[in-house]
Amino acid sequence: MLKKMIWIAAIGLLLLLAVLTVRTLSFSPVATTPVTPVTLNVDVATVSQHLSEAIRFQTISYDNSAKRDVAKFRQFIQWVQQTYPLLQQQLELTPVNELTLLYRWKGQDSTKAAVLLSAHYDVVPVTPGTEKLWQQAPFSGAIADGFVWGRGAMDDKGAAVSMLEAITLLLQQGFQPPHDVYLALTHDEEIGSSEGAAAVSALLQQRKVNLAWSLDEGSFVLRQMVPGVAADVASINVAEKGFLNLQLTVQSPGGHSSMPPAQTAVSILALALTRLTDQPVAGGIDGLTADFYDQLGPHMAWLQRMLLANRWLFGPLLEHELSKIPTANAMLRTTTAPTMLTGSIKANVLPQQASAIVNFRLHPRDSIDAVLAHATQVIADPRVELSVVQGMAASRVSDKQAAGFARISEAAQRAYAAPAGTAATDLIVVSGLTIGGTDSRMYEAVAKDSYRFNPMLLTSAELGGFHGNNERISQDNLHKAVLFYHTLLGSL
């Protein structure tokens, strides 16, 4: 009997291994048609100089809009108009508001659905006291070591300048698009887009302009940032997360710290925050996340391919391991991040009120109400009052099968095509999810599809410059970005 059971177990194991192997072997990259690299003469030194000049305008967005130096924004607009005269001569500048620019490039047939390219030129502040940690001064626009340095180089003046340069080249070549093309340069993306992109969207709605698609910032070409994938990965994101700022408040009698009760307002609040972070919103490899890994999995090494090809068996293990990686975890679920705390006004005074703000980044599968219900259930303490400070649902999911996605993908592949005769691996293009917020969510009202992608190659070291120290973009990236936008617009 025992021998028979061993034989049955062995046969079952062999069958399981066979199933795993067959599924892994069939989980292979889809054959693609080779693309022709872009051949275009780009004056990289001039592009770099123009970005350097753009960075020097301290177009800083503060949470307190009263701190905005409007003069710096006006100076940037004047600089755009002086630096790119062909745009002023051949494109129609549509008044939106004082600080956001919207250009209309009239096409051969304006009855066809238009497209919109967008970038923002406002930047986040440099944290006071960190200036000395920068290798180049934050607003110097220094060109050194093959990079252009400064706040906004990546987020998002690099893209804005690259678009302007590409359109200028096309105008010099006498190109006219087959349909209208709109270019938006917005001024308040870093503080919610309530004036810039929102006004652009409202104006286009008022004029009954229908956009086939829009393209704004999002992900990048990622190098050695996807575990198990050796090739560069271009993630053209088809959706973005929403957010919920939830305030937790605890009331207490207060008093002198020499006679504390068993639990103070602070300790009750701390326990609530610990519960929220220890019990995150349920995630999973499904929907957009599953699609992302289904596209990347075939390009991975054997072990990773096997795990992803057989999620029916290894799904819980995969989710557990991916949850340990912050970027991967953000793709899996709605994330939970306590960000702000207030308590007593003095070290020896028990607070009468302690409060915290928790920032949730909402996965498209979750709603604001669902996350609020989750927080209430997890905290399970009536002494903790929950109130929604601000929230926005996740975007809708755009179509990765649509013509717009295909054109963006082709332009990226051509800009980053491996030179003939080299051992370099061609670019892998996937659809993904933007884990932050962009202007794109404002364009959904007028665009059938909204895509999020910056055509610049980043490593994890460069990614750290986002809203941090030593923000910079390589001159090679600027070259590739101009190639991308020129190819994208020139092939419409």
Side-chain angles (χ1 to χ4, degrees):
M1 184 67 177
L2 178 60
K3 187 175 181 179
K4 183 178 179 180
M5 291 177 64
I6 292 174
W7 270 107
I8 292 173
I11 292 171
L13 180 59
L14 288 173
L15 287 173
L16 175 61
L17 290 174
V19 170
L20 296 178
T21 301
V22 169
R23 289 180 63 88
T24 304
L25 289 172
S26 64
F27 195 50
S28 301
V30 177
T32 57
T33 304
V35 297
T36 305
V38 183
T39 55
L40 178 68
N41 184 26
V42 177
D43 186 347
V44 180
T46 298
V47 177
S48 301
Q49 181 59 36
H50 285 165
L51 177 57
S52 172
E53 294 168 4
I55 288 171
R56 292 175 208 160
F57 297 102
Q58 297 188 29
T59 49
I60 302 171
S61 279
Y62 296 96
D63 288 339
N64 179 1
S65 59
K67 295 178 65 177
R68 177 192 293 159
D69 188 344
V70 176
K72 296 292 194 302
F73 288 74
R74 291 175 180 153
Q75 290 166 11
F76 176 84
I77 290 173
Q78 291 175 351
W79 172 84
V80 168
Q81 295 173 340
Q82 293 167 2
T83 306
Y84 301 99
L86 281 182
L87 270 78
Q88 316 313 314
Q89 297 165 15
Q90 299 188 39
L91 274 61
E92 173 189 317
L93 179 57
T94 302
V96 178
N97 54 41
E98 183 185 12
L99 302 179
T100 280
L101 297 175
L102 178 65
Y103 289 96
R104 178 195 177 205
W105 190 0
K106 186 173 172 53
Q108 299 171 28
D109 185 353
S110 293
T111 65
K112 294 180 179 179
V115 300
L116 167 71
L117 271 61
S118 182
H120 67 89
Y121 70 91
D122 64 321
V123 301
V124 297
V126 173
T127 303
T130 65
E131 293 87 352
K132 61 182 180 298
L133 301 177
W134 287 66
Q135 294 179 44
Q136 303 289 341
F139 290 99
S140 65
I143 302 173
D145 304 321
F147 291 86
V148 182
W149 298 73
R151 179 62 85 226
M154 285 191 297
D155 187 18
D156 189 31
K157 287 179 177 176
V161 167
S162 298
M163 289 179 194
L164 294 168
E165 298 286 342
I167 293 174
T168 296
L169 286 173
L170 287 165
L171 291 173
Q172 290 172 346
Q173 295 163 357
F175 176 79
Q176 183 182 17
H179 49 67
D180 289 356
V181 174
Y182 288 88
L183 172 65
L185 298 178
T186 65
H187 73 278
D188 65 339
E189 190 277 340
E190 296 292 1
I191 52 174
S193 314
S194 62
E195 298 174 358
V200 169
S201 180
L203 179 63
L204 293 177
Q205 289 180 73
Q206 178 186 342
R207 296 188 174 183
K208 302 188 185 306
V209 173
N210 295 314
L211 300 175
W213 49 270
S214 66
L215 176 63
D216 190 24
E217 64 175 336
S219 188
F220 292 82
V221 178
L222 309 174
R223 172 163 289 176
Q224 296 179 348
M225 291 176 62
V226 181
V229 178
D232 296 334
V233 177
S235 182
I236 301 170
N237 294 348
V238 294
E240 68 182 64
K241 284 188 162 185
F243 73 95
L244 168 63
N245 289 330
L246 187 64
Q247 180 166 307
L248 281 59
T249 305
V250 179
Q251 307 290 344
S252 173
H256 198 283
S257 62
S258 62
M259 299 175 290
Q263 289 186 306
T264 68
V266 169
S267 62
I268 294 169
L269 180 63
L271 180 60
L273 293 174
T274 300
R275 287 174 176 169
L276 281 179
T277 54
D278 286 350
Q279 301 177 60
V281 178
I285 306 177
D286 57 14
L288 275 178
T289 307
D291 196 30
F292 178 76
Y293 283 109
D294 283 345
Q295 296 168 85
L296 278 178
H299 301 277
M300 293 182 174
W302 177 264
L303 178 59
Q304 289 96 329
R305 280 177 62 194
M306 182 186 70
L307 294 174
L308 286 166
N310 295 279
R311 291 203 304 272
W312 59 275
L313 180 61
F314 300 114
L317 173 63
L318 278 167
E319 184 178 340
H320 180 266
E321 292 303 311
L322 289 171
S323 295
K324 298 177 182 178
I325 306 170
T327 52
N329 182 59
M331 286 284 292
L332 289 176
R333 59 170 42 83
T334 291
T335 52
T336 306
T339 55
M340 302 176 71
L341 292 167
T342 60
S344 176
I345 59 172
K346 200 170 184 294
N348 63 349
V349 175
L350 297 173
Q352 295 184 40
Q353 177 177 293
S355 65
I357 299 291
V358 181
N359 177 254
F360 296 89
R361 291 290 172 160
L362 304 180
H363 193 280
R365 76 167 74 87
D366 297 321
S367 67
I368 291 175
D369 288 342
V371 173
L372 181 58
H374 165 82
T376 302
Q377 180 180 7
V378 167
I379 293 172
D381 189 338
R383 296 173 296 179
V384 182
E385 177 187 347
L386 305 182
S387 57
V388 174
V389 177
Q390 191 179 16
M392 178 176 289
S395 74
R396 67 169 184 261
V397 179
S398 293
D399 186 2
K400 72 169 188 175
Q401 304 298 333
F405 187 95
R407 292 190 185 281
I408 296 166
S409 173
E410 181 185 7
Q413 289 174 320
R414 291 191 63 196
Y416 282 89
T422 69
T425 306
D426 284 335
L427 186 70
I428 299 170
V429 177
V430 299
S431 58
L433 171 66
T434 296
I435 58 179
T438 74
D439 279 339
S440 285
R441 64 190 183 279
M442 298 296 180
Y443 302 138
E444 287 190 347
V446 288
K448 183 177 180 182
D449 291 301
S450 297
Y451 302 112
R452 302 152 178 88
F453 175 65
N454 273 18
M456 300 170 181
L457 188 152
L458 295 186
T459 63
S460 57
E462 292 167 300
L463 195 61
F466 262 102
H467 293 197
N469 301 328
N470 293 314
E471 184 177 350
R472 62 195 185 276
I473 199 73
S474 73
Q475 291 177 281
D476 182 62
N477 266 325
L478 292 176
H479 182 201
K480 291 290 200 301
V482 175
L483 294 182
F484 168 84
Y485 289 118
H486 186 279
T487 303
L488 176 66
L489 292 170
S491 62
L492 290 173

